[in-house]
Amino acid sequence: MILEFSIDYRTSSSIYEKLFLQTLKEHSLNGKIVKEHFLLKLYVEADTADALESFATSLSSVLPHSIFVRQTSAQLVEEMPDTDYEIEEQKKYPLPFCPQCLQRVMDSKNRDYYNIYTACDACGYNVSGENRSYKKEFEEAAVTIKAGKVLEVNTFYGKYYVGIPAKICNTIPFDIVVYDLATVEKYANVEKYEITALGSFEKPLIKLKKKLSFTMDHEEVEADLIRFKLPDDFILHLLMEELHNVGIDAVFITKKKIPAQEKLLLTDFKEELDPIEVVVSENDVVIVSGEKGLPQFPLNAKEVNPSIGSFFSVVREHQLADENIAGISLSKEYKNNLLVYGKKYGIVEYLSFNFEFESMQEIFDKIVNSDENGSKIVANYQKKYPEHFERISGIIFEDKSFNLFKLWGVVAMVLDYTSSNDPIKAAEVLEENAISFLGEKGPRIDYKLLNIDGKVYLDPLMTIRTAMSFRLAGVDPLMLSYGVIESFLEFLANELDEMKQNMDITAITASGSLLSNKHLFSKMSREISVNHNIYFNNELPVDGRNMFYGGMSL
C-alpha cells in the first residue's frame, strides 16, 4: 500500500523533506520524494493500513505549520514514482526549533531538558556548545527582569536587550516577545489568520494595534502599533518559560544598545540576522523585511530599474514568464506604476503613479484652476482652517518627485494629521491611522486618470480635493485615512478588470513596500483575487533585495 502526501510548499528550506525522511527511518519504511517547483509529493509504502496510519499520525505530529504551506492533501496511489528527489547539499538555514526538538527540551526526564543547543538536521542555528541543562541560568534571568532590570542577551542570531515594557520603549525601536498566542490575543487586535502565522514554524514578526489591556499593564509605552512575535530560538523560549513562571508573559526586545544591569551570554552567534516580518491576509503571506531562515538568492550587482526588477522577481519566483501579466509596483521609496508584460511585446509601462510638485501652493492653485467645485473646496477649506491653511501654503518641497506614498503624505499634511513638512513622514502618519482603523468601510476618495500626450497618469489633484471635502464634512481621521487607501485599491481593481477584458491578462503580480500596510495587502489579496490570479514575492521581501534578483532577468 502506498500513501501520497501532496503539499503546496513554497520554500527551499527542505524542512518538510528532512522531517519526512526522519519519520521514515523511525518507522523503518520506504519512501520517495518528488518536487516540482512549489508542488511537494511525499510517498510512503507499507504492508498494512495500520502501518500507514501510524506513519501518517507520526508525520502530522512532527510537521510544523509553515507560512510557506498553502494546501495539503493525502490519498492512496497504485505505485511509487520512478524518480526520487534528493535534498541538495547545502548550508542548513538558521531556523527555529521543530516540534520534536521542543518536546525534548521541555521534557524533564529527557537528557536534553533545558539544553539550548538541542537541534536536528531540520532545525537549529548551527551553533554548538556544552550540552547540559541551563535551567538555573534562566531562572536567575527571569528574577532579574521581574525586578525591573534590563538584561543583555545573546540569542543564536544576535545580541538583544530585554526587559519589561516601560518608558524606555518610547526612545528606542523595540518589539514585543510573548509567552504564547493567548498573550497576543490579550494585548493586540489580531485576526485569526495572523494568529496562525505568528504560531508558525518561522515565528515571524507581525505589526499589530495594541489593545487597552496592553496600555493598562504597560501604561508608559506610547506606541500604538507594535510588532509582536513568539520566541524563535531556545534562548528566548526558555527565558519566556521562566518569566511566565514568575507572572510575566510579555517583554520588549531591542537591538539598540541600552544600559543593562545583568547579562545572559550563554552562547555566541555566528552572524547577526534580522528576523522576518510578514503581513498576512486570509489567502496570502508576504515578507516585509528580514533575512533569518531565508535562502540566499543570486543577485544582480548592477543597477536596475526598481519597478521592473521587482516585477521580474515575482515572475521568476513563480515561473510566470509565459503569462500575459499586469505588474503592480507600489514602493514607498521608488516610483510606482502599472506594467504590462507579454512574450510578444516585452514590458511596457501602462499607467504611472508618479507626479511632480514644487510646493503646496502650486497644488492649491491647480485645484482652484481645475473647475468651479475645486475653487469652492479650497475657499471653504481656507475659511474653516485659516491658520493651518496659511502654514501649509508656505511649504516648499525639497524633492519635487512624488509617488503614491508621498501623495498620501500630501493628503495627511493638507488634512492636518501631522505637523511634519516631509511627505514621507506625513504618509507614515496617514498609514498608521489607516492601520489603527477598526471599521470595515471608509469614504470614497476619487482616483481619476489623466491622458497627457498619449500617456496615462493618475490625477493627484482629485485625490487631494476629495479628501479635503470629507474633512470639511467632519469625517473621523482614522476612517478618512482608511478611505484614502481603500479607495485606491478599488480603483486599481477596476483598472485590472478592464485590462483583463481588453488585453487578455492572465496573471497579476504585486510588489513594493506599500504591501506592508495590512489593510492594503488584505484588500488586494482578497478582492483582486476574485477575478484574477495574483502573485506576490514568496521567499524574498517585497522591496529591496527582490529587485536585484529580478534584475537578473534583464
Side-chain angles (χ1 to χ4, degrees):
M1 302 179 70
I2 301 171
L3 184 61
E4 174 197 82
F5 299 90
S6 183
I7 306 169
D8 184 350
Y9 183 66
R10 305 185 180 192
T11 175
S12 54
S13 66
S14 300
I15 298 299
Y16 275 31
E17 296 96 311
K18 291 176 181 178
L19 292 174
F20 172 71
L21 293 176
Q22 286 181 19
T23 309
L24 279 177
K25 186 176 181 180
E26 291 169 5
H27 285 255
S28 300
L29 295 175
N30 294 322
K32 285 190 175 182
I33 300 172
V34 174
K35 193 168 185 180
E36 299 176 0
H37 195 216
F38 290 149
L39 180 60
L40 174 66
K41 290 188 176 183
L42 309 174
Y43 295 87
V44 56
E45 186 173 18
D47 293 332
T48 67
D50 288 343
L52 283 183
E53 183 178 354
S54 176
F55 176 86
T57 300
S58 296
L59 185 64
S60 64
S61 68
V62 301
L63 289 185
H65 169 68
S66 169
I67 59 172
F68 297 111
V69 171
R70 296 297 186 269
Q71 295 179 332
T72 62
S73 62
Q75 64 176 351
L76 291 172
V77 295
E78 295 296 325
E79 56 185 21
M80 281 282 197
D82 295 330
T83 59
D84 190 11
Y85 172 77
E86 293 185 7
I87 299 174
E88 296 180 12
E89 289 293 330
Q90 59 183 1
K91 177 183 175 182
K92 190 171 75 171
Y93 297 173
L95 293 165
F97 42 83
C98 70
Q100 280 184 310
C101 288
L102 176 61
Q103 186 177 29
R104 286 157 52 195
V105 167
M106 299 313 299
D107 182 357
S108 60
K109 297 179 180 179
N110 194 291
R111 66 179 183 179
D112 285 323
Y113 181 58
Y114 267 67
N115 177 11
I116 61 175
Y117 293 104
T118 303
C120 67
D121 290 341
C123 72
Y125 290 87
N126 300 304
V127 178
S128 59
E130 184 182 357
N131 290 307
R132 65 173 178 86
S133 173
Y134 291 84
K135 186 171 176 61
K136 181 181 177 182
E137 287 88 343
F138 286 108
E139 289 174 339
E140 293 172 350
V143 171
T144 295
I145 292 176
K146 184 176 175 62
K149 298 178 181 180
V150 172
L151 189 69
E152 179 183 337
V153 180
N154 275 2
T155 69
F156 285 122
Y157 54 86
K159 183 180 294 294
Y160 289 88
Y161 297 83
V162 180
I164 296 174
K167 193 172 184 178
I168 193 171
C169 293
N170 301 330
T171 61
I172 58 173
F174 73 97
D175 301 313
I176 295 293
V177 179
V178 296
Y179 169 69
D180 59 8
L181 294 174
T183 306
V184 180
E185 292 180 304
K186 174 185 176 183
Y187 280 148
N189 292 291
V190 59
E191 302 289 347
K192 289 183 179 179
Y193 46 81
E194 290 173 320
I195 283 289
T196 301
L198 283 165
S200 69
F201 171 72
E202 291 77 18
K203 303 295 187 293
L205 290 154
I206 296 183
K207 184 179 289 187
L208 302 169
K209 179 179 171 59
K210 70 182 181 185
K211 282 183 177 178
L212 179 60
S213 56
F214 184 92
T215 302
M216 292 175 66
D217 287 352
H218 310 290
E219 58 184 14
E220 292 182 326
V221 179
E222 296 173 355
D224 194 43
L225 295 173
I226 302 171
R227 299 196 308 179
F228 286 78
K229 76 168 184 176
L230 267 63
D232 53 358
D233 77 347
F234 277 132
I235 304 289
L236 292 177
H237 179 82
L238 295 175
L239 178 60
M240 291 309 302
E241 282 288 331
E242 293 305 320
L243 283 168
H244 174 71
N245 290 338
V246 296
I248 297 172
D249 288 338
V251 293
F252 80 82
I253 184 169
T254 181
K255 293 179 72 173
K256 179 77 173 178
K257 187 175 182 179
I258 58 176
Q261 289 73 46
E262 299 290 346
K263 297 181 179 181
L264 184 67
L265 309 179
L266 303 179
T267 186
D268 292 322
F269 47 89
K270 288 188 175 181
E271 56 182 334
E272 289 197 19
L273 296 168
D274 289 329
I276 61 171
E277 177 188 352
V278 303
V279 61
V280 190
S281 72
E282 291 186 67
N283 303 316
D284 296 291
V285 179
V286 296
I287 298 168
V288 175
S289 62
E291 58 192 341
K292 184 169 71 70
L294 300 179
Q296 295 293 318
F297 284 87
L299 304 178
N300 183 355
K302 298 178 182 179
E303 291 186 4
V304 297
N305 180 304
S307 59
I308 295 177
S310 296
F311 167 79
F312 277 112
S313 72
V314 184
V315 172
R316 290 192 68 188
E317 280 198 279
H318 291 273
Q319 299 182 356
L320 302 174
D322 292 331
E323 304 284 344
N324 293 328
I325 309 169
I328 309 160
S329 176
L330 297 176
S331 175
K332 295 180 180 181
E333 184 176 355
Y334 306 107
K335 290 185 176 181
N336 304 154
N337 50 28
L338 182 55
L339 304 170
V340 178
Y341 167 84
K343 292 189 74 173
K344 292 182 179 180
Y345 50 82
I347 191 163
V348 178
E349 184 177 67
Y350 176 82
L351 174 59
S352 172
F353 301 138
N354 303 296
F355 332 98
E356 289 191 0
F357 296 127
E358 294 280 341
S359 66
M360 193 70 81
Q361 187 61 56
E362 177 194 355
I363 292 172
F364 290 140
D365 289 344
K366 287 184 175 180
I367 293 175
V368 168
N369 294 327
S370 61
D371 56 32
E372 185 178 350
N373 285 336
S375 180
K376 287 181 178 179
I377 290 170
V378 173
N380 290 337
Y381 207 80
Q382 183 176 13
K383 182 179 180 180
K384 188 167 184 178
Y385 309 108
E387 294 181 3
H388 171 63
F389 189 88
E390 182 179 1
R391 185 189 75 80
I392 62 173
S393 293
I395 294 174
I396 306 295
F397 300 121
E398 292 185 10
D399 184 356
K400 316 302 181 187
S401 299
F402 282 70
N403 59 12
L404 185 68
F405 191 60
K406 290 174 71 174
L407 171 62
W408 291 349
V410 170
V411 171
M413 293 158 69
V414 170
L415 299 182
D416 200 15
Y417 293 167
T418 174
S419 60
S420 176
N421 292 348
D422 182 347
I424 292 179
K425 291 181 179 178
E428 291 170 353
V429 174
L430 184 138
E431 185 179 33
E432 289 205 1
N433 282 351
I435 295 173
S436 297
F437 178 64
L438 299 179
E440 296 182 359
K441 191 69 180 175
R444 187 179 183 86
I445 305 298
D446 284 344
Y447 288 87
K448 304 290 186 182
L449 296 180
L450 291 173
N451 193 316
I452 302 175
D453 297 329
K455 195 168 184 178
V456 183
Y457 298 86
L458 186 66
D459 181 1
L461 301 180
M462 289 300 296
T463 303
I464 298 168
R465 63 187 262 182
T466 50
M468 292 169 67
S469 297
F470 280 113
R471 194 199 173 199
L472 286 169
V475 174
D476 172 77
L478 300 187
M479 179 183 288
L480 183 46
S481 298
Y482 179 79
V484 171
I485 295 175
E486 177 192 44
S487 298
F488 173 74
L489 265 297
E490 292 174 350
F491 156 80
L492 188 60
N494 289 333
E495 285 299 310
L496 293 172
D497 287 346
E498 288 189 16
M499 292 174 69
K500 183 176 183 178
Q501 285 187 339
N502 300 330
M503 305 178 69
D504 193 29
I505 296 297
T506 57
I508 307 294
T509 68
S511 61
S513 49
L514 271 180
L515 297 180
S516 65
N517 182 295
K518 64 183 292 183
H519 288 316
L520 184 149
F521 176 69
S522 182
K523 194 173 181 67
M524 178 179 288
S525 170
R526 181 179 65 251
E527 298 193 5
I528 291 180
S529 65
V530 172
N531 296 325
H532 306 271
N533 296 317
I534 186 166
Y535 301 89
F536 305 95
N537 283 115
N538 191 57
E539 288 186 289
L540 281 163
V542 291
D543 217 340
R545 296 201 308 272
N546 65 338
M547 68 181 70
F548 294 100
Y549 175 67
M552 297 181 67
S553 299
L554 304 179

